Amino acid sequence: MKIWFAEQDVIDAACVYVAETYQVPIERLNAELRYDEGIGIRGTVEDREHSRLFDLSERDLVDGAVLYLSNYHSFDPRRLTVELQFDENEGVTAVVEKVEVSG
């Protein structure tokens, strides 16, 4: 099974990651994504109430997508793979695949 995350889904997942990791209410968060050639996909999440910025790596964004699917849709995080992608028109997107375990 494959799930496609539009850029807004990746943004939401980044906010979930920061909320869970740093114990910040998700309602206070805004996120922006960017692609830097040579560095890759990055994110910045702002805590509007306390004017704090959280810089997220590509790994953090992948972990955020897994956390989002695990917490909100009961997916097993050990069975998910996430590939972030960047496109000029679509922005930052992700393809999430649920890996079936045989045996």
Side-chain angles (χ1 to χ4, degrees), residues 2-3 6 9-10 20 24 28 31 34 37 42 59 61-62 78 81 83 98 100-101:
K2 288 188 180 184
I3 302 166
D9 298 314
V10 180
E20 292 283 327
V24 178
R28 294 189 340 212
R34 66 189 175 283
E37 194 154 333
R42 311 283 296 170
R59 178 78 247 165
L61 295 171
V62 166
R78 298 167 300 188
T81 61
E83 179 185 339
K98 182 180 175 191
E100 297 300 327
V101 177

Side-chain angles (χ1 to χ4, degrees), residues 3-48:
I3 302 166
W4 185 75
F5 271 28
E7 186 167 68
Q8 186 60 52
D9 298 314
V10 180
I11 287 171
D12 293 346
C15 290
V16 167
Y17 177 83
V18 169
E20 292 283 327
T21 303
Y22 299 101
Q23 302 301 302
V24 178
I26 199 164
E27 302 82 26
R28 294 189 340 212
L29 301 175
N30 280 342
E32 290 185 13
L33 306 174
R34 66 189 175 283
Y35 173 77
D36 295 323
E37 194 154 333
I39 297 174
I41 297 169
R42 311 283 296 170
T44 301
V45 178
E46 177 190 15
D47 176 349
R48 295 184 311 268

Side-chain angles (χ1 to χ4, degrees), residues 80-91:
L80 297 174
T81 61
V82 178
E83 179 185 339
L84 295 175
Q85 303 172 342
F86 174 76
D87 177 83
E88 291 281 335
N89 297 321
E90 301 289 331

